[in-house]
Amino acid sequence: MSDLALTPEVAWALATGGPWPDPNSLSGDAHFMALALAEGLKGVGLSSPNPPVGCVLVKGDRVIGRGVHTRAGDPHGEIMALRDAEARAEDPKGATAYVTLEPCCHQGRTGPCTLALIQAGVTRVVVGVQDPNPRVDGGGLAILRAQGIAVEEGLLGEACTRLHAPFFKLIHTGLPWVTLKLALGSDGSLGPSGQTTQVTPPDVQKMAHALRRASEAIVVGRHTIVVDDPHLTDRWPAATAPHRSFARVVMDEDGQIPPSARVWAPVAGQPVFRAVTGDPVSLRGVEDLHLPPDGRGCSLRHLLHELAARGVGRVLVEGGGTLAQAFLALGLVDEFHRFQSSVPAGGSPVQLTFPKAWQLQATGTWPTGRWEVWR
């Protein structure tokens, strides 16, 4: 595994489940599926609870249409690609559709993509991975084949599975995908207790905001708010769709954080929630999530179910050490992003117990540290 120099492109790739196949290094079908994956990445952080399906239409080795699903209730990636082809005055009849996920075959808030592909005259469909949704689950592929359309599946399947892993988890468990992020010194510490410590330099901190952009909610503990007084906002520089919502969630079981904390300040498109077990005095503009206790504070599993019910498919847990340990102890973490500095932070090491099956997936480096992704 090679270390990647940390750039905005690398940061976004690591935050979204990558690194991803480079279309320019591939040819034939793999090249076009890599392009479909690149389309799908444009929907990360926007499409939940639906998957960010990417699609490209190809005719005579030319891309005639591109599309991605970016909001539940809006057209899926296949439909967007067909509309793009129409806007380009291209005829999709006889084209090949490269789709990161099996086309849907049921009527939901939008019509079935299988029907749209059939009516458009597409003659071949290449699919990255089958959709485990019980309403699809191979049915889309069967319908296409029954109409005489050539269907191939599994191309860049491992990468397509990584792209859609949060959706697959939501389908199987009802829980959102949970990413844990910690910035640790070379001593494994977050810094001296009760002090704000900048473990990573400002330019790396900016890169870390890719994780917030790839998520629909961020969760932090009360101690993080008391010590650092953060805004917890999404400040990734790339523009995003107006409908994007980024929920800021603070674990404040007894309502001890004062109204003056900066996190409670209203931010358009970034609502703030307070997870409580009791009935503390309400805060203007803050919605309370009333959760049962679990011996440590608020039930984290109930919290994840509450967020899933609000359409959140990807959750970022960003601090602090106690909250990280609790999520890990309950087996609720799907991937861990460790920002490891080569300089000690000066506090006590955070004791973290990882699942035995986890492996180092990717790394990004800067002059005084590295970003590690474990799954």
Side-chain angles (χ1 to χ4, degrees), residues 19-27 30-35 37-38 156 159:
W20 303 103
D22 178 8
N24 295 325
S25 67
L26 301 171
S27 60
H31 168 76
F32 294 118
M33 183 59 80
L35 290 178
L37 275 164
L156 299 188

Side-chain angles (χ1 to χ4, degrees), residues 354-369:
F354 301 147
K356 293 182 179 179
W358 273 8
Q359 295 181 346
L360 181 63
Q361 302 293 320
T363 62
T365 62
W366 66 92
T368 58

